[in-house]
Each structure stands twice: as C-alpha cells, then as structure tokens.
Amino acid sequence: MKFHEIPGNETAISALVKMAESGRVPHAVLFYENEGGGGFALASAWVQYLNCEHPENGQACGHCTSCLQMAKMEHPDVHYVFPIATGDVIKPSTQHPTASMALREFRAMALQNPFFKEQDVYEAIGVESKSGLISVYDAKEIIDVLSLAPVQNGYKAVIMYLPERMNAAAANKLLKLLEEPPAKTLFMLVTDNPEDIMTTIFSRCQAIRVLPFSKGDALAGASIPEEMQEICNRMLKALSRKDLASALDCADEVAAVKSREKQKSFCIFASRQVRRIFMYLQKLEDIAYFDGVSDEDLKGISGTLSPAFCSSASQQLDRAAMLIGRNVNAKMVFTDLVNRLYVKM
Ligand SMILES: [Zn+2]
C-alpha cells in the first residue's frame, strides 16, 4: 500500500512523511479512524514508506524488496495482530490461539480490501461479530517476535488492528515494551474506539487522525438530521451539569420522533460526540474534529465528563441503537439510556 493509493488524508500523510524525513519517528502511533476504514491502510503505507529502500517525493518506490514484501503483507519484519476467536479457521480445540494462526485469512481479506472494518475480520476468520480478543498469547508472541534481530535493514513493526480488543493481561504485558521498545521498533495501532483503549496504552502513543474518505462514510456523516444533532448536544449538556430532568426531556423528544432510522442516527451521532469529548479530554483537540458542534459547545459539554464516562457511554449508545433496530419501545430505550448514562457520571 502506497500513500497515493489512500484517498484524502493529505494532512496526515504529509505529517507522517515529515516525521520520517526528520528522523523523528515516534515508536508508537495510534491511527484513529472513523468507524472503520483507512487506518490499517495508512499504517501499512507508512511502514512501507519507512522501510522502502528508494523512497522518492514522499512515496515508497513500490519495487524494492521491502515494498514488494509489504504489498503482499509478507514482510519478515512486520507482524500483524488483530482480534480473534476460535471458529472456522482457528479450531475450538486450539491451545493458546493467536492472530498469527489466522494470518492467511486475514491477509487475503486485507489485500482484497485494505479499507476493511472489524466485521470483515470476523467474517474472514469465521467467527461471530464482536467476539474477537487480543490475548496474552498474542502479547507474548509480540514480545518474542520483537526480541529477534530484524531480517532486513529497516524497522521492525507491529501493526495492531483494534488494540481496544486487548484484555488487561495482554495490555499489561505490552506496557513495558511500548514504553521502552528496542531500537528501530514501531507499534502501529489502529482503532475506531479510542475511548475503549486502556489509558496506559493510549498515553504512550502519538495519535494520528484518519479521516473518512469513502462516499459511504462521508454520507453517513452528513445524513444525521440536524434536529437529532441538536437534541443530542442538549442532552449531553444536561448530563454534564447533572440535570437529570432536562436529559430525560431530551430522551422523550427522541422517542417521539416517528422514525427508527432517525432514532438510530441519534445514537450514532451521540456516540461520535462522546468520542470527540474523549479526545478533547485527552488534550487532542486537533484530532477531535467532528461536524455539527462548535468548539464552545464542546467545551460546555465536556465540562464535567470524564474519560471513563465516555467509554461507558459509548457502549450504552451502541446498546440503544441495537435495541432500536430490534423494534424495542423507543420511550423505554431512551429513558433507560439517560438513566444509565446519569449513574455513570
Ligand atoms: Zn521501495
């Protein structure tokens, strides 16, 4: 994957190229993508650029040994990690399953569509959605892989898709390595849920925002009705000043809307806002960008909210969207949602 094959994201790409040229390459980078798409491609393109033998004008050459290996996802110094579960590919009887056991299927999927989403990974390895985990066995494998000398002259890299799927044991095992990695070692983490990543991991990474570029993603962003955005911002503001009555009024307003699709879009928008608040609270204002809310509003909403609240709120909002999709009574869903958010304040 070369930079020019990734639509949009000129700002992020030129920042990455500058880092490479200046020799100040951070050893851990978190690529924060928008609900799937682009982060993995960008991380791969950067590793390819950094390891290219003849980079030119901000692009990898595409035909040196390293580029050819990267194009096939077969570079000996690049290790891919992604959430897995046992199923069709990794049999349930497997002891200590790791992502490398499903690498062939992951590779085939990612080569066909480098802009994949989480669900695509699960389909490729034949497991149920959202069931994937990055376990302590993966962490151990990463440590082992990185302890070996590089095969080639460039960087050794771990490209980890969805670090938020690491359990605590795995994350803790990797902390020291993330803090003091061996020379010329890179961690490229790709996430669409930064608020679910353990703060100890998050704080060790430099974050790069990956903007949506596909028509579908852009439309998904644009199609959220203004009235839903307005109610959502009002509800978050009410919650941040612990005004339960006003927040419940907002829940009633959403429940009264005569469209399940609009109600779902409310949940999607609220989830994005929560993510944005999270990035803001982590002092990453520059990459906390989303449409439909002014900086002043964001400050107001973020007031008393904590990163822990954002993490829990994001799960509650996903749950609400799922229930709305299943035709559960909307008034019940949104009242329950506000109550659940309120107790997490
Ligand atoms: Zn090259």
Side-chain angles (χ1 to χ4, degrees), residues 36-52:
F40 181 85
L42 195 54
S44 307
W46 200 35
V47 172
Q48 177 164 345
Y49 180 73
L50 287 168
N51 275 342
C52 174

Side-chain angles (χ1 to χ4, degrees), residues 237 240 280 285 293-304:
K237 269 190 210 164
S240 75
Y280 187 80
E285 294 96 329
V293 85
S294 68
D295 286 347
E296 206 171 305
D297 265 352
L298 183 65
K299 265 184 210 146
I301 296 171
S302 310
T304 57

Side-chain angles (χ1 to χ4, degrees), residues 1-2 5 40 44 48 62-76 78 80 103-112 114 152 159:
M1 179 63 55
K2 291 166 71 176
E5 294 168 274
F40 181 85
S44 307
Q48 177 164 345
H63 42 72
C64 68
T65 310
S66 168
C67 279
L68 294 174
Q69 288 167 334
M70 279 305 290
K72 289 191 277 182
M73 290 174 66
E74 285 176 356
H75 196 293
V78 179
Y80 297 94
L103 180 60
R104 200 162 51 115
E105 289 74 13
F106 176 79
R107 189 188 278 142
M109 179 277 301
L111 288 176
Q112 201 196 9
Q152 289 172 7
I159 301 182

Side-chain angles (χ1 to χ4, degrees), residues 49 79 122 131 197 205 254 267 301 323 335:
Y49 180 73
H79 184 65
Y122 298 144
S131 61
I197 298 176
C205 298
V254 186
C267 298
I301 296 171
L323 293 173
T335 305

